[in-house]
Amino acid sequence: MHVFGIIGNPIGHSLSPPMHEAAYDELDLEGRYVTFEPEPEDLEAAVDGADALGIEGMNVTIPFKQDVLEVVDADDLATRIGAVNTIDFSGPTPTGHNTDAVGAIRALRDHNVALEGSTAVVVGAGGAGRAIAFGLADAGATVDIANRTESTAHELAEVVPDATGHGLESLEELLADADIVVNATSVGMETDETPIPAGALHGDLAVMDAVYRPLETRLLRDAAAAGATTIDGAWMLLYQGVEALEIWTGEDAPVETMNEALRHRL
Ligand code: NAP
């Protein structure tokens, strides 16, 4: 039996177990994906314990994504982002990866969005914003980061290659010349709000929302009305899981099956 899982607190109704277990069925892998909710002070013991028990891989979610950097060997991308969402236990020591960044990039590529040489606006500079900004810059985009707390956007722009920080009031001007915009704020989650004025959207944009509850956010409705390409938050969620599964098993993930399992529960 292969055991994988996720640690977070609270872990709530995670969408990852059905998504990963659907993949194990398709791959004929006898596996289970288990949720764990350690107390924050027990993080190191939880990671060491998972390693000792032969768990092969774990995802990491709030509030552990940053603190777990202290207890694993993080790869270059996760170190630069400052967060780990995937631990691989196959080596002599646990290694940390950030598949949110690659997940966002694969979601955009899956929708035929050209990244090399593009101009991309990331709205938000929290955990998701950091991962997406680094992912876009590594993929060859010039990145503008706009955040409610403008100083956080400037701090992030200092470490992301070719990036510039802004406040949200610059959005209309930034989007006029942009190819891609990604909402990486929590605005729109469980509410009918948008962080981007509808009038700033246009038909030459690809608009991706990291928010996946609801799937069709107000931002994506506004974007569709403006004739933009729209990419909902489940795509990033899907591809971060796909990447994690591929790291753990070394096999190509059954993307369609995982997508169906995920969307079935959203
Ligand atoms: P976070 O670290 O707490 O960051 C929240 C971000 O939202 C910050 O930039 C914050 O700006 C901004 N924000 C919050 N309320 C705002 C408001 N009323 N107006 C404008 N900006 C506001 O959260 P996170 O982990 O980055 O998550 C952000 C969203 O992405 C959540 O909805 C989460 O579910 C989603 N997410 C999706 C995926 C996926 O795979 N699809 C992965 C990760 C996260 P300040 O700096 O000014 O506070």
Side-chain angles (χ1 to χ4, degrees):
M1 169 71 70
H2 301 271
V3 182
F4 307 91
I6 182 167
I7 51 172
N9 193 337
I11 196 67
H13 297 287
S14 170
L15 295 161
S16 292
M19 177 169 70
H20 282 269
E21 291 193 343
Y24 307 154
D25 286 347
E26 181 84 23
L27 293 170
D28 276 332
L29 181 85
E30 201 188 328
R32 286 286 172 275
Y33 186 102
V34 186
T35 59
F36 298 101
E37 198 172 281
E39 293 303 322
E41 62 272 23
D42 293 331
L43 175 62
E44 186 168 3
V47 172
D48 289 347
D51 196 16
L53 290 170
I55 290 176
E56 291 172 51
M58 289 225 290
N59 286 128
V60 182
T61 189
I62 291 167
F64 300 125
K65 283 185 177 187
Q66 285 82 26
D67 291 348
V68 79
L69 277 166
E70 306 293 325
V71 297
V72 299
D73 288 330
D75 70 8
D76 174 63
L77 179 60
T79 304
R80 285 188 293 144
I81 294 169
V84 161
N85 80 326
T86 300
I87 306 174
D88 178 21
F89 292 104
S90 63
T93 55
T95 55
H97 307 266
N98 190 308
T99 69
D100 283 335
V102 188
I105 296 312
R106 283 183 73 168
L108 288 161
R109 291 219 164 103
D110 192 64
H111 289 77
N112 301 314
V113 179
L115 302 174
E116 177 85 43
S118 67
T119 300
V121 179
V122 178
V123 188
R130 287 187 68 88
I132 294 165
F134 276 104
L136 283 165
D138 284 3
T142 301
V143 182
D144 287 297
I145 302 157
N147 195 49
R148 175 178 64 177
T149 308
E150 188 174 341
S151 56
T152 315
H154 290 296
E155 281 159 28
L156 179 55
E158 270 173 34
V159 291
V160 174
D162 265 340
T164 314
H166 310 266
L168 292 181
E169 70 285 349
S170 303
L171 273 178
E172 304 214 52
E173 193 183 326
L174 291 171
L175 290 191
D177 297 322
D179 306 300
I180 300 164
V181 61
V182 183
N183 174 35
T185 75
S186 45
V187 179
M189 191 170 65
E190 318 269 6
T191 68
D192 196 38
E193 294 172 305
T194 174
I196 301 173
L201 301 168
H202 55 81
D204 294 332
L205 273 173
V207 180
M208 184 161 85
D209 207 333
V211 171
Y212 53 83
R213 282 189 208 278
L215 269 184
E216 193 187 61
T217 56
R218 180 161 163 198
L219 169 62
L220 294 185
R221 285 203 315 276
D222 291 344
T229 300
T230 59
I231 305 157
D232 68 45
W235 291 105
M236 178 175 164
L237 190 60
L238 167 70
Y239 279 113
Q240 63 75 32
V242 163
E243 278 286 321
L245 185 138
E246 291 179 348
I247 289 170
W248 296 331
T249 66
E251 299 203 39
D252 286 342
V255 176
E256 279 301 313
T257 301
M258 293 173 77
N259 191 29
E260 270 171 36
L262 176 62
R263 283 176 190 274
H264 183 65
R265 280 157 183 88
L266 277 167

